[in-house]
Amino acid sequence: MERVLRPVIAYDEERGGDLVNSLATYLRCNRSWQKASEELFVHKQTLVYRIRRAEQLMGRKLNDTATLAETWFALQALELLRDR
């Protein structure tokens, strides 16, 4: 989780951002821009920007299956840690 999400978490903490939540919502909505943007109450382009920024921070692209899987598992681990 640290290896994958630390830059995104740090960005959110430093700037009061919502990248982690946006990333989790986007993946939970099966990478549907429309569904995720509606759930987050943001414009689709805002969500596109957030996901691209998260990819930049992680140094990974979500169109790669291995990256997608690692990111999903990292988000699940983060959720478990935050629930503690």
Side-chain angles (χ1 to χ4, degrees):
M1 186 273 300
E2 280 285 322
R3 183 176 51 84
V4 175
L5 293 177
R6 172 50 43 207
V8 182
I9 293 167
Y11 181 93
D12 279 356
E13 289 172 353
E14 291 169 10
R15 293 175 176 82
D18 199 28
L19 296 183
V20 172
N21 183 48
S22 296
L23 187 56
T25 302
Y26 173 66
L27 295 183
R28 189 175 58 254
C29 290
N30 294 313
R31 295 184 292 159
S32 167
W33 297 111
Q34 190 64 39
K35 286 171 67 174
S37 62
E38 288 172 4
E39 190 171 315
L40 291 166
F41 301 104
V42 298
H43 192 276
K44 179 185 158 198
Q45 283 308 118
T46 300
L47 179 60
V48 169
Y49 169 79
R50 289 177 181 177
I51 299 305
R52 297 297 178 244
R53 185 67 181 125
E55 288 178 324
Q56 288 173 342
L57 291 165
M58 292 187 299
R60 301 157 176 261
K61 292 283 190 182
L62 292 174
N63 60 356
D64 175 67
T65 303
T67 298
L68 183 63
E70 283 181 334
T71 304
W72 174 256
F73 287 122
L75 287 164
Q76 297 306 300
L78 179 62
E79 186 176 319
L80 287 172
L81 288 171
R82 286 184 173 172
D83 285 346
R84 286 181 151 182

